[in-house]
Amino acid sequence: MKLLTDLDAIRTLTQSRLDNRRITGASGESITFRSVMVCGGTGCTSSDSNTIIAALEQEISSHGIESQVEVVRTGCFGLCELGPVVIVYPEGIFYSRVEVKDIPALVEQHLLNGKPYDKKIYEKTRHGEEILSFEETDFYKKQVRIALRNCGTIDPEVIDEYIASDGYKALAQVLTTMSREQVIDTVKRSGLRGRGGGGFLTGLKWEFAAKQNKPQKYVICNADEGDPGAFMDRSILEGNPHSVIEAMAIAGYAIGANQGFIYVRAEYPIAVQRFTKALNQAREYGLLGDDIFGTGFTFNIDVRLGAGAFVCGEETALIHSIEGHRGMPTPKPPFPAVEGLWGMPTIINNVETLANIAQIILNGAEWYASIGTEKSKGTKVFALGGKVVNTGLVEVPMGITLREVIFEIGGGIPGGKKFKAVQTGGPSGGCLTEEHLDCTIDFDTLTSLGSMMGSGGMIIMDEDTCMVDVARFYLDFTRDESCGKCTPCRIGTKRLLEMLDKITEGKGTLEDLENLEQLSLQIKNASLCALGQTAPNPVLSTIKYFRDEYMAHITDSKCPAGVCKSLISYEIDAELCRGCSLCARKCPSDAISGKVKEPYVIDKAACIKCGVCFDVCKFKAVAIV
């Protein structure tokens, strides 16, 4: 078992290693040691970052400079669009889309001769002749990283590096100097609200559980991240797993629990592997188990793997799944804080919520409450996706505007296209328009506009997006993911989807539009859990803000965005066509004919509307009509 003095010794020994990973302003040959940080998140790993690490180590060894360079596999840096990402300290040079074939030149030019490898430098860091550090780019400079702290700066599989980053200091402080009531009061005063979707006050939830006089209580970390496009919880588990373990132990102390569970998707293999390894390290150090820090406090954590059902993100469904039953929700009250896992008081917090806890303890409730808005404190991690230049993870203070996130941090819409809408809150959220770009991002504002914070998915759409098709897409998802227990959700989402299918096929009526709105409201009011209660949000928000598009589909049989296949056809403009034959050669249904150097023609009866001709034509001769 490690004592407080042991952790202090580890911090002293390891701190110099972390000091090498700071931007110092030094450059060139004067630098005697460099740290090469390689993203080991799921995105970059799928782009072969492990092979890049192996190639780096081999090349460094071949030059005999192992004592002058360290190679570190980290968690995600956030800019997933540019992976595999490599950052070299102390200059903070950001290399993007690195390939194995780049490694010999990168090592020779940068690590041996002190000159950045120009070919793979991230373009946004170029400032005339100067190369800026990545922290000075638009993507990073407005971010405030609390939950994502340590992601990209430490090796998540080395517990000593977490400890050297003030890891487990908050747990020690709580166990040795604070009462349970003081811990709960600190979390309450911080204003931290749950980041999993509901936005309930975390400290208040802890207080409810603490007041229950039961022989057994539980702490559950909800890592069943089901929103399409959201991956902040996965990234935290991959890049900073000990922060979640530490927070769960603090929560256990606060409510009087000695057992915790993390419910994580089996489809997150890297996150599961790193979290499990972190658990074993914490047990080995005595940071989990009996008599932690000699205080008499006991806490253990077990892992439970989920099968990927969206509904298991709901608290009661998740509890049933851990108990070995089918993951289905039950009515509340009683709430889990009163009667949860195996009938005992249970608090459930998601990964991002827990990742804030240690920093709140160390820096104080007032510090955290000073960030954000009056009713939405702290920061929020968003997964930017869709039609935006910089896709990836960003952590920003509550109260920032949608415009700042989409256009300043996200880099705006690619290809010179016009912004059309942003969907927040995943499949349960709503779509907001250009008029909302200057609205602040916080729980209450997003809800008042017909959307929601959700877990943090933020999908950007451009002028080529059909909003009716977007609503149909999300309904298709929630219909599939309905557990089927309650009729409004099981049958209602199916009926909604059928009406949306009719409209996108040009067969919809004005009566369908009216029924869509009425049924959506009935499903929201009558469904058992949040999945059904929020499933109609994309339908209602798109009808509210893009009603003209629904009308075009119904009354004019047209899809203004040119997306719905039943309502479009392709034509070749004879004046623009150069007769290159590329469209005909690429057409999978042989629907295009003609002679070389003469205008080609599309046989509409044979055309399957795949759009390949439109995509490949270099002369913009193919049009959607």
Side-chain angles (χ1 to χ4, degrees):
M1 179 179 70
K2 300 291 184 185
L3 301 175
L4 295 177
T5 52
D6 296 324
L7 295 194
D8 288 339
I10 290 171
R11 289 189 184 100
T12 302
L13 284 172
T14 313
Q15 189 58 56
S16 61
R17 191 191 307 167
L18 300 191
D19 287 343
N20 289 321
R21 303 171 194 171
R22 293 197 173 95
I23 297 170
T24 64
S27 62
E29 297 176 353
S30 62
I31 298 171
T32 57
F33 189 89
R34 285 186 171 87
S35 298
V36 182
M37 318 298 282
V38 184
C39 178
T42 290
C44 284
T45 299
S46 66
S47 300
D48 225 8
S49 64
N50 284 337
T51 307
I52 289 170
I53 290 173
L56 273 166
E57 291 173 339
Q58 182 179 2
E59 194 69 18
I60 289 168
S61 175
S62 71
H63 288 284
I65 56 173
E66 299 98 318
S67 63
Q68 301 166 38
V69 182
E70 66 168 351
V71 179
V72 182
R73 180 187 288 108
T74 71
C76 179
F77 294 112
L79 252 175
C80 306
E81 163 74 13
L82 302 177
V85 172
V86 174
I87 295 179
V88 179
Y89 289 95
E91 303 99 318
I93 301 296
F94 188 110
Y95 293 112
S96 62
R97 299 192 178 102
V98 177
E99 300 174 78
V100 171
K101 65 183 181 183
D102 296 311
I103 299 306
L106 191 154
V107 171
E108 181 175 353
Q109 292 180 30
H110 194 158
L111 305 184
L112 273 175
N113 298 313
K115 297 177 180 177
Y117 175 53
D118 191 72
K119 185 177 177 183
K120 289 301 173 81
I121 290 175
Y122 174 35
E123 282 302 317
K124 295 292 177 62
T125 62
R126 296 183 190 275
H127 187 69
E129 296 295 318
E130 186 182 3
I131 306 298
L132 304 176
S133 75
F134 72 96
E135 293 179 347
E136 298 174 88
T137 62
D138 290 337
F139 184 80
Y140 286 103
K141 63 186 180 185
K142 277 200 169 184
Q143 292 195 47
V144 178
R145 293 166 78 89
I146 298 174
L148 295 179
R149 183 176 181 269
N150 292 337
C151 292
T153 61
I154 67 170
D155 184 337
E157 298 193 29
V158 179
I159 188 173
D160 287 2
E161 294 198 4
Y162 178 71
I163 292 172
S165 303
D166 291 338
Y168 291 104
K169 190 181 275 188
L171 178 62
Q173 180 177 323
V174 162
L175 295 185
T176 60
T177 69
M178 298 176 73
S179 67
R180 290 172 175 172
E181 292 76 15
Q182 287 174 320
V183 175
I184 291 173
D185 180 63
T186 300
V187 178
K188 281 176 64 179
R189 286 189 293 106
S190 75
L192 175 66
R193 296 171 65 170
R195 298 317 198 224
F200 193 77
L201 283 168
T202 303
L204 198 57
K205 182 184 285 187
W206 290 16
E207 188 175 57
F208 287 153
K211 288 181 176 177
Q212 305 307 310
N213 185 22
K214 294 289 180 66
Q216 180 68 54
K217 299 177 184 178
Y218 297 103
V219 174
I220 294 177
C221 173
N222 183 351
D224 192 59
E225 188 173 46
D227 285 2
F231 56 99
M232 58 284 293
D233 288 353
R234 186 191 74 201
S235 283
I236 292 169
L237 293 177
E238 291 176 350
N240 200 20
H242 284 284
S243 68
V244 179
I245 295 171
E246 184 177 12
M248 291 179 71
I250 292 171
Y253 172 75
I255 70 166
N258 60 16
Q259 179 64 52
F261 293 93
I262 180 169
Y263 187 86
V264 58
R265 296 188 152 225
E267 63 202 58
Y268 283 0
I270 296 176
V272 172
Q273 177 261 322
R274 289 186 186 157
F275 190 84
T276 303
K277 187 169 185 175
L279 275 182
N280 292 333
Q281 292 171 340
R283 290 177 186 132
E284 184 181 336
Y285 274 37
L287 300 170
L288 287 176
D290 298 332
D291 196 21
I292 299 172
F293 293 129
T295 61
F297 174 63
T298 294
F299 192 75
N300 293 292
I301 298 174
D302 288 324
V303 178
R304 292 290 184 271
L305 298 182
F310 183 65
V311 73
C312 284
E314 196 276 338
E315 290 183 334
T316 58
L318 185 155
I319 285 173
H320 290 152
S321 182
I322 290 180
E323 290 175 339
H325 306 300
R326 181 177 173 183
M328 299 178 85
T330 50
K332 293 183 283 189
F335 292 95
V338 177
E339 190 175 317
L341 189 62
W342 291 300
M344 295 296 154
T346 304
I347 58 169
I348 304 176
N349 295 125
N350 85 328
V351 173
E352 185 186 343
T353 308
L354 292 167
N356 285 281
I357 294 296
Q359 291 304 302
I360 290 172
I361 298 296
L362 291 176
N363 296 297
E366 292 73 20
W367 163 78
Y368 193 80
S370 70
I371 304 168
T373 66
E374 181 182 355
K375 294 183 178 178
S376 297
K377 305 297 186 184
T379 59
K380 180 73 190 82
V381 183
F382 288 98
L384 280 183
K387 303 294 180 63
V388 65
V389 173
N390 299 324
T391 58
L393 283 186
V394 301
E395 184 173 3
V396 292
M398 294 281 196
I400 196 170
T401 66
L402 286 165
R403 187 184 300 278
E404 288 175 280
V405 173
I406 296 168
F407 287 92
E408 295 183 30
I409 298 174
I413 314 302
K417 298 284 185 177
K418 186 180 178 184
F419 169 84
K420 185 171 190 177
V422 55
Q423 206 261 2
T424 66
S428 302
C431 296
L432 305 177
T433 70
E434 189 170 10
E435 68 177 282
H436 303 121
L437 283 175
D438 292 313
C439 293
T440 57
I441 298 174
D442 59 68
F443 287 101
D444 303 310
T445 299
L446 291 178
T447 301
S448 69
L449 296 174
S451 188
M452 61 187 291
M453 187 76 76
S455 64
M458 187 177 286
I459 307 299
I460 319 301
M461 304 166 203
D462 68 10
E463 58 191 280
D464 294 335
T465 306
C466 171
M467 302 311 295
V468 184
D469 185 61
V470 166
R472 194 204 59 78
F473 171 81
Y474 283 117
L475 243 300
D476 192 28
F477 176 84
T478 48
R479 189 277 313 263
D480 279 348
E481 293 294 336
S482 173
C483 74
K485 183 171 184 177
C486 73
T487 304
C489 181
R490 183 181 70 249
I491 304 298
T493 54
K494 183 175 173 59
R495 295 286 95 85
L496 285 180
L497 183 60
E498 288 169 353
M499 285 186 272
L500 288 168
D501 280 339
K502 280 180 64 181
I503 294 173
T504 55
E505 290 168 0
K507 301 173 183 174
T509 65
L510 291 176
E511 185 181 6
D512 289 326
L513 187 57
E514 184 179 342
N515 289 338
L516 269 177
E517 290 182 287
Q518 290 183 0
L519 182 56
S520 291
L521 294 173
Q522 290 167 356
I523 294 171
K524 283 177 71 69
N525 292 329
S527 291
L528 179 60
C529 79
L531 190 154
Q533 291 161 6
T534 58
N537 283 348
V539 179
L540 290 171
S541 64
T542 52
I543 291 177
K544 180 178 181 180
Y545 297 123
F546 299 94
R547 195 178 191 90
D548 57 331
E549 288 200 28
Y550 280 86
M551 294 301 291
H553 283 71
I554 294 170
T555 61
D556 302 332
S557 296
K558 288 186 179 299
C559 174
V563 172
C564 298
K565 286 186 177 181
S566 298
L567 303 179
I568 63 171
S569 62
Y570 291 91
E571 287 184 357
I572 296 177
D573 187 322
E575 293 187 3
L576 295 177
C577 180
R578 305 289 180 86
C580 71
S581 79
L582 181 61
C583 58
R585 286 183 279 127
K586 295 291 185 181
C587 178
S589 59
D590 295 326
I592 303 176
S593 59
K595 295 181 179 179
V596 175
K597 295 185 178 180
E598 293 183 10
Y600 276 64
V601 177
I602 298 176
D603 178 355
K604 293 184 179 180
C607 177
I608 59 173
K609 302 177 183 179
C610 64
V612 169
C613 55
F614 181 84
D615 293 335
V616 301
C617 182
K618 301 174 183 176
F619 310 106
K620 299 186 183 303
V622 180
I624 300 173
V625 296

